[in-house]
Amino acid sequence: MNTMPINHVDLKALIMAPTKYISRPVPTISLHDFDSRIDSITAQLIDAAEKVGFFTIVDHGIPRTMVDHMFDQSVRFFNQSDHVKAQVPFSAQYNAGWEKNAQIRLSTGAADHKESYQMQFGAGMDGLWLSEDSLPGFQDSALSFMRALQSVSEKLLTCFARGLGFEDDYFVTAHDVRRPESQTVCRLLHYFETPRVPNTTGEIFHRAGAHVDWGFLTLLFQKAGQSGLEICPGRDVSTSFGYGDAWTKIEPDIEKNAIVCNVGELLMFWSDDRFKSTLHRVKAPCDPEDYYGERYSIAFFNQPCRDAKIQGPAKKYPLVTGEEFTRNAMTRNYKALQDKLKSDEVASKEPQLEGGAAAVSAQA
């Protein structure tokens, strides 16, 4: 994916400009009585994936008490000292572990102002759990929550398989978390409090710069009152990072215990581009009504096993394995980021610019 060139613009004016918002319908789909309503649910999911790429699900069977308990566990983890959390450092090999201020987005060229802890099923987490002495009960609570999310995910995977003309268990088998080749990840996220008064350097506190998820399907939980998630749907904006485009806020719906779901790049690939991977972000607070406090969320990334064979029903793209798709996505994104950073370095030296282009997406 390439960023749009930005030349000779008044970046300070652009940064201070208010975000443009529009209202978009985000479908809400009930999983109530799933077995008898599977055809209806499938039709709704396919329509949402084709037209928006984002939707919420309700009546999914995970009690709010379980969600709240996992948020409590997340707070417990992140309240540990950095010295303790550093005992389980992020491992690129297993895509698991703790990181802080380390994820740089292509859309911003800057690190997200957050920390996260990624968990997987099975041997990929060997050595990446804090000890029971350090955090009693955490591992058991996390795995129970992850298994509940996997159960919900498998219902959605079954519907997507039906919608694409595959056997019902096609995607479920490809995402079998019992196998050592599993890549599915649950990510606890903690965004740091943002100062309301801009600092003298003009630094922008990006929470999660505009991006598209590269996996299959993401399930996201948000906490009440901790807004910031915004979407800008469609493949066209996912390749331009939404410069100049309008955004839509996705507020936490705690009353309905809604799970926010979005299509990833891999599902778009696997559907021969029929389903849309949607650009989204957690906005860098800048307007008076924005939420500036600490923000917690939990994301569950459905990602296929490393040896899963990936090709859409129309065979629009060559067959790849789950491991190859992941590696290709990481390589492509890394190269694009390096190109952007070099471009920003050159742009920052031009007399017309007061700052690098990395700042633009925070207000796009």
Side-chain angles (χ1 to χ4, degrees):
M1 288 178 275
N2 298 315
T3 56
M4 296 177 66
I6 302 176
N7 298 312
H8 309 298
V9 296
D10 184 347
L11 282 174
K12 182 177 291 186
L14 186 56
I15 291 170
M16 299 305 294
T19 302
K20 178 183 177 183
Y21 289 106
I22 62 173
S23 176
R24 294 182 176 96
V26 176
T28 296
I29 301 168
S30 171
L31 300 189
H32 175 69
D33 201 10
F34 179 82
D35 290 339
S36 65
R37 295 182 54 246
I38 187 170
D39 290 338
S40 172
I41 293 170
T42 295
Q44 293 176 64
L45 284 171
I46 298 307
D47 186 68
E50 289 179 336
K51 295 179 179 177
V52 184
F54 250 79
F55 53 92
T56 65
I57 56 172
V58 296
D59 304 320
H60 43 71
I62 300 179
R64 189 68 210 182
T65 52
M66 189 178 198
V67 177
D68 291 339
H69 177 69
M70 195 61 228
F71 272 119
D72 291 341
Q73 298 301 313
S74 178
V75 172
R76 287 182 66 211
F77 177 88
F78 290 121
N79 278 346
Q80 303 297 308
S81 69
D82 284 2
H83 173 73
V84 171
K85 290 178 287 191
Q87 295 173 17
V88 289
F90 180 78
S91 165
Q93 179 180 0
Y94 295 108
N95 194 29
W98 174 73
E99 59 83 20
K100 180 179 180 180
N101 294 331
Q103 187 168 19
I104 301 176
R105 301 289 185 182
L106 177 57
S107 59
T108 64
D112 291 346
H113 193 59
K114 71 174 192 309
E115 60 181 332
S116 70
Y117 178 57
Q118 297 198 170
M119 305 170 290
Q120 291 200 14
F121 296 90
M125 283 298 291
D126 288 352
L128 293 177
W129 294 106
L130 286 179
S131 70
E132 188 68 11
D133 290 339
S134 298
L135 209 58
F138 176 85
Q139 181 177 342
D140 287 344
S141 293
L143 287 172
S144 294
F145 186 69
M146 290 163 64
R147 285 190 286 268
L149 275 171
Q150 178 65 19
S151 179
V152 173
S153 296
E154 289 180 359
K155 293 179 179 179
L156 304 179
L157 296 175
T158 300
C159 291
F160 280 120
R162 282 192 170 202
L164 290 172
F166 294 121
E167 294 294 325
D168 281 5
D169 64 351
Y170 179 78
F171 287 136
V172 173
T173 300
H175 293 78
D176 189 346
V177 298
R178 298 169 299 178
R179 302 184 61 231
E181 291 79 13
S182 171
Q183 297 186 105
T184 289
V185 166
C186 184
R187 190 180 201 192
L188 307 180
L189 291 143
H190 173 216
Y191 300 91
F192 304 125
E193 184 174 3
T194 300
R196 284 184 172 272
V197 179
N199 60 30
T200 56
T201 65
E203 180 183 1
I204 295 175
F205 294 92
H206 299 286
R207 291 199 149 177
H211 65 284
V212 291
D213 294 345
W214 57 263
F216 187 92
L217 184 71
T218 303
L219 280 63
L220 180 74
F221 291 92
Q222 304 182 83
K223 290 199 75 173
Q226 299 184 357
S227 60
L229 179 63
E230 301 176 353
I231 66 170
C232 191
R235 175 145 191 172
D236 290 343
V237 293
S238 78
T239 56
S240 68
F241 287 95
Y243 291 124
D245 287 299
W247 292 82
T248 298
K249 297 181 180 182
I250 307 295
E251 299 290 348
D253 189 345
I254 307 305
E255 183 178 342
K256 294 182 179 179
N257 194 22
I259 305 176
V260 178
C261 304
N262 69 277
V263 171
E265 288 284 273
L266 192 145
L267 179 50
M268 187 163 75
F269 178 97
W270 219 330
S271 68
D272 300 312
D273 291 338
R274 180 178 170 187
F275 305 147
K276 307 304 179 187
S277 177
T278 299
L279 189 77
H280 56 286
R281 69 182 185 182
V282 179
K283 182 186 178 183
C286 58
D287 297 320
E289 66 274 14
D290 289 341
Y291 176 70
Y292 287 77
E294 286 183 292
R295 183 180 187 273
Y296 291 87
S297 63
I298 302 172
F300 190 75
F301 300 103
N302 286 276
Q303 295 167 183
C305 295
R306 286 187 288 273
D307 58 355
K309 293 178 173 57
I310 300 168
Q311 190 172 46
K315 297 180 171 57
K316 180 176 180 178
Y317 299 109
L319 185 148
V320 295
T321 65
E323 184 174 30
E324 289 170 335
F325 188 93
T326 299
R327 182 172 62 247
N328 292 343
M330 297 300 97
T331 300
R332 182 179 67 247
N333 289 349
Y334 178 79
K335 181 181 183 304
L337 177 59
Q338 296 307 306
D339 290 345
K340 176 175 178 55
L341 293 176
K342 290 178 182 177
S343 175
D344 288 350
E345 183 179 0
V346 171
S348 68
K349 297 177 181 178
E350 296 182 5
Q352 294 90 342
L353 298 178
E354 296 184 4
V360 175
S361 71
Q363 307 302 328

